[in-house]
Each structure stands twice: as structure tokens, then as C-alpha cells.
Amino acid sequence: MNNVTTATVSLGAVTIGLSIMAWHLSRWWKAGGGGKGGPPGVGGGGGGRDPKVLIPFLSSVALGMLCVTAAGGLLGTGAVMLLGLGDSLGNWSLTAVTGTVTPGVTRSGQKVLSPGGCAALVVYIVVLIALWKSGGKLFKGKVISGVICGVMLGLSAGFSGVAAAAVVTVFNAAGDKITGVM
């Protein structure tokens, strides 16, 4: 049975997740619509930021969030191990760089995937693997960093944790409806 994960997340891991998110969003924002077609002498950002460019990264963030809430099996175990590594690295870096303590920031009342949600997750993984196989080096980098980001943010009590709860709810509803599990 799929029980609630006992994993916890610290401020250090959340800082790593937010840093990865900030990296990708700032690079997307900076790239903007720059290049051809703009006024002479104006470089860098500006309008024309294509949200479709963020799809590989954000879809893999959702995958990381789902894996850390799977609470078992290979996906859940791997995600919890990655989260533990992120906790250790993030706590060390925050303490070394800023001298601050790193409290736990795990949200209470965690959502978990239902059996139908787990089936939807497996189908989602198959789709992402198919896209992975056809993607280039840049695409694969976005997917890997997105999964790490999602794992680090998926159990947090902040906005990212609320986003993870929403993703889990959507996957549970879709998976339960499609598979007939109620």
C-alpha cells in the first residue's frame, strides 16, 4: 500500500531547489525575444519570451515532485535518497556561506499518490523517456535539473509544496478516472 512518505526536507534542500528554479527562469527571462527583429542596439531581454521553452524544465519539476510523493518503490526510494543528499549539501552550503541554521520546512498533511495516480505517473514517465530519447543535450540537462528541483521542493511547506499538492491531486484524479480505480 502507498503510505505517506516519512521523508523530511530542510531549508538547505529547498534552497537548492529554488536556486535551480531561479537559474532556469532567469536564463529564460534574459533570453527573452532577443536577437533578430528587435530595434538596433537593444540586446538581451524584452518581450517575446516564449513560455513553451519552459515546458521541458517544468514538466520534469512536476515529475520530481510526483516521485518524492510516491512514498515507495524505486521512484520513491530514489527520490528520498536524492532529497537526503540535497538536505546534506544544502545544509552544509547554507551554514558555510551564511552561518545560519537550517530548520526543517516539511509541510504537514502531505498528499500521496493513489493507485490510479501511480499508474498515471508511470505513463507520464514513459512519455518523458520517449521525449528524452529524441531530445538534445540541452533538453536532457533541463530534464535532469528539473527532476532534482522538483524533488527538493516537493515536500516543502511553502508555495512549491502547494504546487506539488496540486500536481498530486491532478494526477490522482486523472489516474483514478482513467484506470477506473475509485
Side-chain angles (χ1 to χ4, degrees), residues 10-13 15-16 84-102:
S10 70
L11 182 60
T15 301
I16 288 174
L85 180 64
D87 275 337
S88 298
L89 182 61
N91 292 344
W92 173 82
S93 65
L94 273 178
T95 302
V97 173
T98 66
T100 189
V101 295
T102 54

Side-chain angles (χ1 to χ4, degrees), residues 56 130-144:
L131 293 173
W132 170 280
K133 297 292 276 178
S134 64
K137 187 176 180 180
L138 182 63
F139 175 81
K140 292 177 181 179
K142 288 180 180 183
V143 170
I144 291 170

Side-chain angles (χ1 to χ4, degrees), residues 63-173:
L63 175 61
M65 290 177 170
L66 289 165
C67 288
V68 81
T69 59
L74 293 174
L75 290 175
T77 303
V80 169
M81 289 173 62
L82 181 60
L83 180 60
L85 180 64
D87 275 337
S88 298
L89 182 61
N91 292 344
W92 173 82
S93 65
L94 273 178
T95 302
V97 173
T98 66
T100 189
V101 295
T102 54
V105 291
T106 309
R107 76 174 178 272
S108 60
Q110 298 175 18
K111 306 262 309 170
V112 296
L113 288 171
S114 66
C118 288
L121 174 58
V122 170
V123 172
Y124 187 61
I125 289 171
V126 168
V127 169
L128 284 180
I129 289 172
L131 293 173
W132 170 280
K133 297 292 276 178
S134 64
K137 187 176 180 180
L138 182 63
F139 175 81
K140 292 177 181 179
K142 288 180 180 183
V143 170
I144 291 170
S145 62
V147 169
I148 293 169
C149 178
V151 166
M152 299 301 151
L153 297 177
L155 299 178
S156 73
F159 175 76
S160 57
V162 172
V167 169
V168 169
T169 301
V170 167
F171 264 73
N172 283 342

